[in-house]
């Protein structure tokens, strides 16, 4: 039986770095220290989001989940000077990765945005970055023998060394067949082990429960259909939806007119704006028609989907405010300008 070698890292904590920070030329100038600082902010925001989903809204406001993270604290963690940390934070603001808002005399709220997706025409610095780490997370409670036997299956997701991976798979299969366990020799049938699809189904179910307070069951049903049983695709759709929503919120709240307006809070929440919650399901259906069943070929499907969802949300927010609040002419003009995103060059090939 093949054994996994190396130190077991399960249960240890890590700070992950979004691969778009490395691959996307827009963020290349940040360097490793800038990427690490962003990752610290993002990890801290995930804690705020976790508490929010569990009923503690201390670190959530009209703009979404935020964090308090002083420059002194961050500089101490990164081992850099306060001046250097200030420069790094300014770079993150300029790149649109974070938004900093003064709160009181000395505190600052930090809102963390997702990096832009790496353009398809860019040569990736990390070509192996599509490796499915999520599946390995789902295998934490599975016997290590299963992990060993499926190690080559995980590596099949990597775009390089395919011949080596296939060879490894045949070697593992031959070795496990030649080394039968006592239970197999006695004729006792072993307990069936979960398949790759089983792990994906478990991960998708977990993702559905996580977003259930925000996305309707029918909306997530559309996501599952579009993802075709793939957890990584389902998670991409969810991340894209919230990334688009975050951009719309940030654009609306960049104006002092709407920053403290109760209309903004109601218009940008799935819980209060039915145009968002119910309309999203319809938007996903239209995406399926355009991308997967359309007569014309979409050159950049991922960018098209993101722009389509973002523009839909902007329209839903604008229409909700107009339908539910009396606006003076100047406010209506500004609202139209804020929610009118420029559409990139045609996606159709």
């Amino acid at each position: 039986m093949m054994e996994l070698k190396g130190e077991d890292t399960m249960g240890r904590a890590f700070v992950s770095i979004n691969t778009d920070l490395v691959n996307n030329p827009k963020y290349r100038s940040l360097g490793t220290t800038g990427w690490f600082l962003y990752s610290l902010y993002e990890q801290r925001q995930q804690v705020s989001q976790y508490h929010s989903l569990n009923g503690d809204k201390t670190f959530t406001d009209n703009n979404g989940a935020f964090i308090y993270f002083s420059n002194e604290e961050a500089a101490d963690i990164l081992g850099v000077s306060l001046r250097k940390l200030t420069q790094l934070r300014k770079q993150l603001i300029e790149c649109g990765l974070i938004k900093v808002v003064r709160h009181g005399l000395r505190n600052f709220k930090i809102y963390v945005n997702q990096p832009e997706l790496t353009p398809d025409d860019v040569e990736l610095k990390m070509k192996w970055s599509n490796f499915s780490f999520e599946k390995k997370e789902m295998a934490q409670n599975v016997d290590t023998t299963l992990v060993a036997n499926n190690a080559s299956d995980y590596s099949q997701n990597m775009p390089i060394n395919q011949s080596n991976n296939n060879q490894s798979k045949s070697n593992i299969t031959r070795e496990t067949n030649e080394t039968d366990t006592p239970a197999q020799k006695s004729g006792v049938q072993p307990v069936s082990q979960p398949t790759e699809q089983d792990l994906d189904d478990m991960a998708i179910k977990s993702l559905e429960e996580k977003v259930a307070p925000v996305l309707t069951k029918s909306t997530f049903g559309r996501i599952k259909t579009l993802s075709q049983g793939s957890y990584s695709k389902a998670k991409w759709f969810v991340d894209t939806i919230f990334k688009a929503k975050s951009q719309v919120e940030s654009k609306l709240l960049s104006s002092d007119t709407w920053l403290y307006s109760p209309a903004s809070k109601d218009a940008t929440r799935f819980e209060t704006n039915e145009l968002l919650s119910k309309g999203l399901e319809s938007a996903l259906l239209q995406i399926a028609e355009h991308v997967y069943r359309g007569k014309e070929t979409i050159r950049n499907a991922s960018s098209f989907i993101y722009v389509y969802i973002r523009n839909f949300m902007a329209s839903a927010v604008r229409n909700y405010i107009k339908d539910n609040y009396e606006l003076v002419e100047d406010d209506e003009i500004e609202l139209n300008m804020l929610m009118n995103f420029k559409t990139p060059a045609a996606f159709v090939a």
Side-chain angles (χ1 to χ4, degrees):
M1 181 180 298
M2 183 176 181
E3 296 182 357
L4 290 179
K5 297 182 179 180
E7 186 177 358
D8 183 10
T9 59
M10 290 185 178
R12 295 192 177 186
F14 298 90
V15 176
S16 60
I17 294 180
N18 190 312
T19 54
D20 281 315
L21 295 176
V22 182
N23 289 323
N24 195 332
K26 179 176 181 179
Y27 309 117
R28 201 72 51 75
S29 62
L30 293 173
T32 54
T33 310
W35 300 337
F36 190 17
L37 176 61
Y38 171 82
S39 299
L40 291 178
Y41 288 150
E42 184 182 40
Q43 187 181 64
R44 190 89 147 237
Q45 188 197 41
Q46 289 172 356
V47 177
S48 297
Q49 291 172 336
Y50 172 83
H51 287 298
S52 179
L53 289 173
N54 286 275
D56 183 356
K57 306 294 185 181
T58 304
F59 299 100
T60 305
D61 60 13
N62 294 345
N63 296 336
F66 64 88
I67 63 173
Y68 292 121
F69 207 146
S70 70
N71 286 355
E72 291 80 4
E73 182 182 4
D76 181 60
I77 294 174
L78 269 63
V80 298
S81 67
L82 188 58
R83 180 178 180 181
K84 175 64 175 177
L85 196 285
T86 304
Q87 292 174 345
L88 289 171
R89 191 159 86 165
K90 183 179 179 181
Q91 284 183 278
L92 294 180
I93 294 173
E94 292 172 348
C95 288
L97 290 172
I98 64 171
K99 179 182 178 181
V100 180
V101 178
R102 179 181 290 277
H103 183 232
L105 296 177
R106 301 188 61 182
N107 291 328
F108 292 87
K109 292 181 178 180
I110 301 176
Y111 302 89
V112 184
N113 301 319
Q114 287 296 307
E116 292 181 10
L117 300 175
T118 303
D120 288 347
D121 58 353
V122 172
E123 183 179 357
L124 302 182
K125 294 292 184 181
M126 299 175 62
K127 296 182 173 63
W128 61 92
S129 60
N130 63 336
F131 179 70
S132 181
F133 289 101
E134 293 87 355
K135 293 180 182 178
K136 294 184 77 72
E137 283 184 18
M138 296 306 301
Q140 286 185 4
N141 295 323
V142 181
D143 184 81
T144 55
T145 303
L146 168 66
V147 179
N149 290 339
N150 285 343
S152 61
D153 292 334
Y154 291 128
S155 64
Q156 301 278 346
N157 293 320
M158 302 180 71
I160 56 176
N161 297 333
Q162 290 294 332
S163 60
N164 290 339
N165 290 336
N166 293 334
Q167 182 65 34
S168 300
K169 183 175 181 179
S170 63
N171 289 341
I172 293 173
T173 303
R174 182 170 62 252
E175 185 173 351
T176 52
N177 287 339
E178 292 174 354
T179 313
D180 292 336
T181 63
Q184 291 171 325
K185 291 180 179 180
S186 64
V188 178
Q189 293 297 323
V191 178
S192 61
Q193 303 288 6
T195 64
E196 287 286 314
Q197 190 57 54
D198 290 334
L199 295 177
D200 257 7
D201 291 342
M202 291 168 61
I204 291 175
K205 182 64 176 176
S206 175
L207 179 63
E208 181 177 10
E209 293 176 354
K210 186 181 297 184
V211 300
V214 181
L215 300 183
T216 65
K217 191 174 185 67
S218 56
T219 296
F220 196 84
R222 301 301 179 193
I223 293 174
K224 288 197 290 186
T225 300
L226 289 170
S227 61
Q228 300 177 318
S230 167
Y231 167 71
S232 60
K233 290 182 180 179
K235 189 173 186 301
W236 180 87
F237 270 102
V238 170
D239 290 343
T240 299
I241 288 170
F242 284 101
K243 178 182 176 181
K245 181 175 179 291
S246 175
Q247 187 176 5
V248 172
E249 286 183 73
S250 298
K251 189 78 178 293
L252 179 65
L253 299 176
S254 64
S255 165
D256 292 338
T257 303
W258 304 102
L259 181 58
Y260 300 107
S261 170
S264 302
K265 177 180 180 181
D266 293 338
T268 55
R269 298 181 66 210
F270 286 109
E271 298 90 332
T272 52
N273 185 353
E274 288 191 351
L275 297 176
L276 275 178
S277 58
K278 294 183 178 180
L280 182 57
E281 181 183 357
S282 176
L284 292 172
L285 284 173
Q286 294 173 42
I287 285 172
E289 180 181 356
H290 285 294
V291 178
Y292 303 107
R293 290 292 183 265
K295 295 180 180 180
E296 298 175 311
T297 302
I298 305 297
R299 288 187 299 180
N300 190 328
S302 59
S303 296
F304 174 85
I305 292 171
Y306 171 75
V307 170
Y308 197 97
I309 292 175
R310 183 200 63 191
N311 290 352
F312 148 73
M313 288 185 169
S315 177
V317 168
R318 180 181 62 244
N319 292 337
Y320 178 89
I321 294 177
K322 287 185 176 182
D323 292 345
N324 292 276
Y325 294 88
E326 293 184 6
L327 304 178
V328 297
E329 184 178 357
D330 288 346
D331 288 345
E332 186 169 346
I333 292 174
E334 183 185 29
L335 178 63
N336 289 334
M337 291 178 59
L338 290 170
M339 294 294 96
N340 183 23
F341 287 88
K342 292 182 179 179
T343 302
F347 292 100
V348 179

